[in-house]
Amino acid sequence: MNDPMPPSKPGHVNVQAELAKERNRAAAERTLMAWIRTCLALISFGFGIDSIVSAIRSLQFANEINPIRFSRILGLAFIALGIYAMIMATIEHRQELRRIQREEYRYTPRRSLGLTVALALVGIGIYAFVGILVRAFI
């Protein structure tokens, strides 16, 4: 039998392996770009909430409205989550590129950043829900 891909020889480049590495690198880049968009949306949403709170405070009847400390905390939580996710996505991206560059690429299970962000959003959502519910009855 004639093997189409002979074993690695010094100076021999396995084209299929190199193309697979390039596909994995491109996938890692797309994943990082998706995280950048997600983090930018979270940070923007947090700034938006804070801007609305600041605008309400600057109105004439701001003394009649309870200064919404809750909303400022909510906005800061979105900003913090966006920053955390961006840092972690950058670290994961660098680690993935290092794994691809190694000769022996092996899958290693790790904690999902998407799941972590989803759970944090659930926590922020519960905080917002309870805060709005409590404010409605006070």
Side-chain angles (χ1 to χ4, degrees), residues 4 12 33-35 51 75 79 83-84 91 93 108 111 117 121 128 136:
H12 180 266
M33 292 304 294
W35 274 113
S51 296
I79 294 169
I83 292 169
Y84 167 78
I91 290 169
H93 178 71
T108 54
R111 185 171 40 201
V117 170
L121 284 173

Side-chain angles (χ1 to χ4, degrees), residues 41-104:
L42 286 167
I43 292 169
S44 299
F45 193 61
F47 275 117
I49 290 172
D50 189 57
S51 296
I52 291 170
V53 170
S54 295
I56 290 172
R57 284 186 176 178
S58 68
L59 295 175
Q60 286 180 341
F61 55 92
N63 292 337
E64 298 172 14
I65 298 174
N66 183 10
I68 309 171
R69 184 177 145 190
F70 161 77
S71 295
R72 180 147 284 177
I73 292 171
L74 188 63
L76 290 173
F78 277 110
I79 294 169
L81 180 60
I83 292 169
Y84 167 78
M86 189 70 257
I87 291 169
M88 294 308 295
T90 304
I91 290 169
E92 280 190 8
H93 178 71
R94 285 293 295 158
Q95 290 173 346
E96 187 66 21
L97 291 181
R98 285 187 186 134
R99 277 191 216 102
I100 291 169
Q101 289 173 355
R102 282 191 241 140
E103 289 299 317
E104 294 181 17

